[in-house]
Amino acid sequence: MSLPMILLALAVLGTVSFILSRKRAIASVGGDARRLHSLPTYYGMHGLLMAMIPAAGLLVAWLVIQPLMLERSIAADFPESAIPEGSTIGLVMSDVRRVADALDRVADQGALAGRSLEELEAVIADGGTAMGADLSDALLTAANDYRAARGSLNMIMLVAVFAVGLIGAAWAWKRSEGEFRARNVVETGVLILLVAAASIAILTTLGIVLSMLFETMNFFQQYDWKRFFLSATWDPSFSGRGGGSELGIIPLLWGTLYISLIALIVSVPIGLFAAIYLSEYAGKKFRSIAKPLIEILAGIPTIVYGLFALITVGPMLRDAIASPLGLGSSASSVMTAGLVMGIMLIPFVSSLSDDIINAVPQAMRDGSLGLGATQSETIKQVIIPAALPGIVGAVLLAASRAIGETMIVVLGAGAAAKLDLNPFEAMTTVTVKIVSQLTGDTDFASPETLVAFALGLTLFVITLGLNVLALYIVRKYREQYE
């Protein structure tokens, strides 16, 4: 049974439990709902929660733990002599999973019996499954064991989940008496669910950081951290484990910061001035038309911006500025990506700044105007300083968006990792290289692939530093108006 069907069955079980628990509660007081401690709906909700939540919790825990335990068991029985030279047990287990999935598809078509290794390998390849090594007897045996164990564990999981759901439903039905404090129990349960939902963001962030941290540690065990942080050469070679690669992050950081700086130079003044005009000068009719039109820019996919940079902005800058001045002959450049990215960021700065400026109390405007200040002086000396913490937050959001952008850089700035002050030269960013290092037929345990995690962690630390700096600025200026 597929996961959606299991969830649908649990929903049906919860609905039945809701109805039965509610009916039993009303029947326990002779049909007079006024004699119940809680409203009848709370008894039904108690039945629904008891039928679904423990079963769903068991399902989630099982789906997380089962693959880990299953792979550990299969890996322990896999003969070391069958591991291909230059590979690892982790890569082998990846192939085991792929073969097992492919064999499941083939088995559904009844095409497994009597096939040789070569025929099975051809069938697996025809199904679109890419393998890191040739199909061997040991790999095929491990894949079949994996399939059999996974099928048995899935059946046990199905029985256990529905058993827990039925037990919970039966217990809730038995407790549904008139004196049972269903409302207190349901509200406590809902509070626990809300706390769990609020914890998801924190746990997700922690999981992201830990996953990058562990893989980054594996990278630095194979590659010197001094060469990574201090080298000005980015030249990965996939000829072998660390063979001849130069993985210096400096040119990637330079390209990232250079393009982001140009994007902010374009987006921040335009977005801030647009916000000031819309909030302080524009009439209601013009504002109702202009603001949605500006916000449309935020809804355009970044790939469209990238195509705009590749086809229109890049050739225009090359023909009008770069070539006549002898600054370059390529349509892909830092300036191209920075300008287009700046256009993309305008609504981020404009909309947020507009909302923040509008949130400044009208009394501050009236007080300034009453003291004889002009409207422009009021904006410059009262409104902007009062809204500065929020504006800093808007600029920070735009900066984070610029640092993490990929598609515009790929199509507009190229993929050349180099240090250059010329904005009309092609460069690249950290995010582009993260994508390029994790795609293609690569050994996941090699430094050339693991470097993507080191790049990601470095980018995370930089973004965290920007957030801390912005928080300091916000608190410093906010104290003047409290």
Side-chain angles (χ1 to χ4, degrees):
M1 183 181 288
S2 63
L3 181 59
M5 292 302 296
I6 295 176
L7 296 177
L8 179 61
L10 286 178
V12 172
L13 177 61
T15 303
V16 173
S17 178
F18 178 94
I19 296 172
L20 294 179
S21 298
R22 186 177 183 276
K23 285 185 175 182
R24 175 174 170 78
I26 296 175
S28 67
V29 292
D32 186 4
R34 293 174 299 176
R35 296 169 55 191
L36 293 172
H37 173 274
S38 307
L39 293 174
T41 303
Y42 282 106
Y43 293 90
M45 285 299 299
H46 176 251
L48 185 145
L49 292 176
M50 292 304 299
M52 291 189 62
I53 300 304
L58 176 61
L59 177 63
V60 171
W62 197 293
L63 292 176
V64 172
I65 296 174
Q66 174 181 308
L68 301 177
M69 301 302 295
L70 184 57
E71 288 189 18
R72 182 175 297 180
S73 175
I74 299 298
D77 296 335
F78 197 87
E80 294 185 5
S81 59
I83 300 177
E85 184 178 354
S87 184
T88 63
I89 188 61
L91 296 175
V92 170
M93 288 308 302
S94 298
D95 282 340
V96 168
R97 290 194 303 272
R98 296 191 188 100
V99 173
D101 293 338
L103 292 179
D104 280 338
R105 293 192 296 269
V106 174
D108 292 339
Q109 303 169 6
L112 268 182
R115 298 258 182 166
S116 64
L117 286 178
E118 291 77 10
E119 291 173 334
L120 284 175
E121 190 169 8
V123 170
I124 292 171
D126 291 340
T129 300
M131 296 176 52
D134 295 333
L135 185 64
S136 62
D137 289 326
L139 186 60
L140 181 60
T141 300
N144 285 322
D145 293 341
Y146 187 91
R147 291 177 58 217
R150 183 172 59 184
S152 300
L153 290 174
N154 286 342
M155 183 59 65
I156 296 173
M157 177 191 70
L158 193 63
V159 173
V161 167
F162 283 104
V164 170
L166 290 172
I167 292 172
W171 188 44
W173 179 82
K174 184 177 180 180
R175 297 177 73 188
S176 296
E177 300 286 349
E179 66 277 5
F180 175 60
R181 298 176 178 269
R183 184 185 65 184
N184 298 13
V185 175
V186 169
E187 290 181 349
T188 301
V190 171
L191 178 61
I192 294 173
L193 289 178
L194 293 176
V195 171
S199 303
I200 289 177
I202 299 174
L203 295 177
T204 302
T205 303
L206 183 62
I208 292 172
V209 174
L210 290 178
S211 63
M212 290 193 299
L213 182 60
F214 291 142
E215 297 299 337
T216 301
M217 292 171 60
N218 292 335
F219 168 71
F220 286 128
Q221 289 176 356
Q222 303 179 35
Y223 194 88
D224 186 14
W225 66 270
K226 294 180 181 178
R227 292 171 59 195
F228 175 74
F229 287 110
L230 301 179
S231 174
T233 303
W234 177 268
D235 184 21
S237 171
F238 292 96
S239 59
R241 184 177 291 273
S245 293
E246 287 293 334
L247 305 173
I249 194 175
I250 291 180
L252 305 184
L253 283 179
W254 172 251
T256 300
L257 298 177
Y258 202 175
I259 294 174
S260 300
L261 178 62
I262 294 176
L264 292 177
I265 290 175
V266 172
S267 61
V268 172
I270 295 176
L272 184 56
F273 292 161
I276 293 173
Y277 177 76
L278 290 176
S279 61
E280 300 297 324
Y281 292 101
K284 291 184 178 180
K285 185 175 181 180
F286 180 81
R287 174 184 169 83
S288 64
I289 297 174
K291 184 166 179 147
L293 290 177
I294 294 175
E295 292 176 347
I296 287 176
L297 294 174
I300 299 176
T302 56
I303 184 65
V304 176
Y305 281 110
L307 294 174
F308 176 61
L310 178 66
I311 297 173
T312 304
V313 178
M316 181 182 67
L317 291 176
R318 178 194 60 196
D319 298 337
I321 300 176
S323 294
L325 296 179
L327 297 176
S329 59
S330 174
S332 298
S333 66
V334 172
M335 185 63 71
T336 300
L339 286 176
V340 176
M341 195 183 300
I343 296 172
M344 180 194 70
L345 295 177
I346 288 175
F348 287 88
V349 179
S350 175
S351 295
L352 290 175
S353 298
D354 179 54
D355 294 337
I356 293 161
I357 292 173
N358 280 323
V360 175
Q362 183 64 32
M364 298 184 69
R365 295 178 173 86
D366 296 339
S368 176
L369 295 173
L371 291 173
T374 63
Q375 187 174 11
S376 61
E377 291 172 339
T378 299
I379 294 172
K380 182 175 66 174
Q381 299 179 11
V382 177
I383 296 176
I384 295 301
L388 188 60
I391 293 174
V392 171
V395 173
L396 174 65
L397 177 62
S400 300
R401 187 75 174 81
I403 290 174
E405 178 54 42
T406 303
M407 291 309 304
I408 294 177
V409 179
V410 171
L411 298 178
K418 59 183 178 182
L419 293 168
D420 200 323
L421 289 174
N422 185 0
F424 295 97
E425 288 289 337
M427 296 185 197
T428 192
T429 62
V430 173
T431 55
V432 173
K433 289 306 177 183
I434 290 175
V435 174
S436 64
Q437 298 304 114
L438 289 176
T439 54
D441 187 14
T442 60
D443 180 4
F444 196 79
S446 68
E448 292 80 13
T449 302
L450 293 175
V451 70
F453 296 95
L455 294 173
L457 187 61
T458 304
L459 205 60
F460 174 81
V461 172
I462 293 174
T463 306
L464 180 62
L466 289 175
N467 279 275
V468 172
L469 178 61
L471 183 61
Y472 169 76
I473 295 173
V474 167
R475 288 181 175 177
K476 179 180 179 181
Y477 281 93
R478 181 176 295 168
E479 291 176 356
Q480 299 180 11
Y481 301 97
E482 290 181 345

